[in-house]
Amino acid sequence: MDRRAFIIVVGRSVVVAPTVVRAQRAEKVYRVGILGATPTPSLSEAFRLALRDLG
Amino acid sequence: MPPLAEKPSPERHAFLQGLRELGYNEGHNISIEYRSAAWNRELLPDLAAELVARKVDVILAAGPQAILAARDATTTIPIVMIAGVDPVESGLVASLARPAANITGFSGNPAGLAGKRLELLREAVPQVSRISVIRNPDNPGVTAEWNETQAAARTLGMKVESVEVRRAEDFVTALAKMRRHRPVAVVMLNDTLTATFREVLADFAVQNRVPAIMSSHEFVRAGGLMSYGPKLADLFRRAASQVDKILRGAKPADLPVEQPTRFDLVINLKTAKALGLTIPQSILVRADEIIR
């Protein structure tokens, strides 16, 4: 390998390396939505107390 | 359905744990948007629309009402459902093999489960000859379970009384009716409505010295005698795997709806003692969890 070829190879790797790092940092962040319809425990508790009041 | 969108819940934990095992870490390569309608189901369409507007990659919907809201909000964003009921009977999907263009997930109780639940009750409490079955007749998703319960009761020689609840207010009359009829045991068919009252029923059962069974282990933690049903944490862990497949490009239409495969038998021995029951060893050795 002559000196010029060496410089080109090194130069290329210097150019390529930051791109790889950037690609890793910009990894896609997936977004998951969670949808639920749950009665809250407090409501069940409120009902229980209401029942107790009714005897 | 379990309080998936409320925190903290074991189901949410199982889902997040499942995601972590597949290499997803919240705040790093995955972000999660929680939307819960709590008791106000009429908010669900707006919450589903919010998720669609925020362009989430996939929606995990738990419970029939949430699934319907998600289905109505988008025909393109993939939906992973945890139905809790029969999703075909409930009209959530056309069939288990070919659910819909953008829906896959998990069905509720598989065939045979309701019969097995009654057999376990009979084995735990052999003198059970008459049962009251609390159910929501307006929920087509539990019809198959109800039919199966009736058939199993016939086979086991048990008389069945149907106690119907359509809305929260009905529980007052339902409990009064059961107090009059004094059932030997109570079976509650799980849906979003009845699940809310598992603590109420557990209290009622102990006060009236009646053994009671339903599908959710939460019921037994609340003081009910026993439960037999799908292992929810397992379903939510598997839901993470379906979410992963979708994030990696799989189409929901190519992922058939899956069935629960692992089941939990949970027995509360404190309650058994309060009811004056001795649970046979033959059934205790099969329990996945015993509360002492």
Side-chain angles (χ1 to χ4, degrees):
Chain A
M1 192 187 287
D2 65 24
R3 190 162 172 265
R4 215 166 80 185
F6 175 76
I7 288 166
I8 290 170
V9 169
V10 169
R12 267 195 194 141
S13 62
V14 167
V15 170
V16 168
T19 318
V20 172
V21 170
R22 244 198 323 275
Q24 277 169 351
R25 283 200 187 133
E27 185 183 7
K28 181 171 166 61
V29 175
Y30 294 106
R31 305 173 80 184
V32 176
I34 290 184
L35 189 63
T38 309
T40 55
S42 56
L43 235 143
S44 172
E45 181 60 27
F47 184 84
R48 184 151 61 155
L49 293 174
L51 267 185
R52 216 164 264 170
D53 290 345
L54 288 170
Chain B
M1 265 284 106
L4 177 70
E6 309 291 336
K7 55 173 161 183
S9 82
E11 288 75 26
R12 183 198 282 198
H13 179 77
F15 178 65
L16 294 179
Q17 178 65 28
L19 285 177
R20 271 194 297 274
E21 283 163 13
L22 293 161
Y24 297 95
N25 289 300
E26 206 178 346
H28 178 61
N29 58 353
I30 199 159
S31 77
I32 300 188
E33 302 272 348
Y34 300 99
R35 293 291 184 280
S36 172
W39 182 242
N40 306 307
R41 287 181 216 161
E42 65 275 12
L43 297 179
L44 279 168
D46 285 348
L47 296 175
E50 270 180 41
L51 290 176
V52 172
R54 294 182 73 92
K55 295 189 169 59
V56 295
D57 296 296
V58 55
I59 296 173
L60 176 67
Q65 292 86 3
I67 297 161
L68 279 176
R71 196 189 69 175
D72 291 346
T74 177
T75 52
T76 50
I77 296 175
I79 298 166
V80 173
M81 63 171 179
I82 308 266
V85 293
D86 184 325
V88 179
E89 290 293 326
S90 303
L92 299 174
V93 296
S95 81
L96 295 185
R98 297 203 148 268
N102 66 326
I103 304 181
T104 185
F106 298 86
S107 69
N109 299 334
L113 188 112
K116 175 90 175 160
R117 188 182 299 135
L118 233 51
E119 284 170 22
L120 288 166
L121 173 66
R122 163 56 63 82
E123 203 177 330
V125 193
Q127 63 270 32
V128 169
S129 56
R130 199 156 43 85
I131 55 172
S132 282
V133 180
I134 306 176
R135 65 192 186 96
N136 176 2
D138 287 351
N139 183 351
V142 293
T143 305
E145 208 180 339
W146 165 233
N147 292 337
E148 209 182 283
T149 300
Q150 287 176 290
R154 270 194 299 275
T155 308
L156 295 165
M158 295 176 183
K159 285 204 180 95
V160 178
E161 178 200 33
S162 172
V163 180
E164 297 169 6
V165 287
R166 290 181 166 83
R167 57 193 75 80
E169 302 89 280
D170 294 347
F171 269 85
V172 178
T173 38
L175 297 186
K177 185 178 176 185
M178 286 198 297
R179 233 181 237 127
R180 280 197 308 276
H181 291 221
R182 303 212 68 80
V184 184
V186 176
V187 176
M188 185 146 89
L189 303 188
N190 199 39
D191 77 346
T192 315
L193 174 66
T194 62
T196 326
F197 292 94
R198 55 196 174 204
E199 291 164 25
V200 174
L201 178 68
D203 272 6
F204 170 88
V206 171
Q207 278 164 18
N208 292 273
R209 299 178 63 82
V210 188
I213 186 168
M214 71 182 290
S215 72
S216 118
H217 63 275
E218 297 294 339
F219 171 64
V220 186
R221 300 235 169 91
L225 178 66
M226 58 197 286
S227 69
Y228 181 70
K231 201 181 189 62
L232 286 175
D234 183 57
L235 279 190
F236 281 87
R237 194 171 302 114
R238 287 167 63 194
S241 162
Q242 279 203 342
V243 164
D244 170 54
K245 283 180 192 149
I246 288 167
L247 293 181
R248 286 191 290 129
K251 294 195 167 44
D254 297 332
L255 302 172
V257 173
E258 295 180 28
Q259 300 251 359
T261 50
R262 294 177 68 189
F263 305 93
D264 262 345
L265 170 63
V266 185
I267 298 173
N268 190 327
L269 281 187
K270 267 195 290 197
T271 302
K273 197 174 170 195
L275 299 176
L277 295 170
T278 306
I279 307 295
Q281 199 60 31
S282 63
I283 194 160
L284 288 180
V285 296
R286 277 146 62 201
D288 297 278
E289 187 183 337
I290 293 173
I291 297 168
R292 292 173 199 277

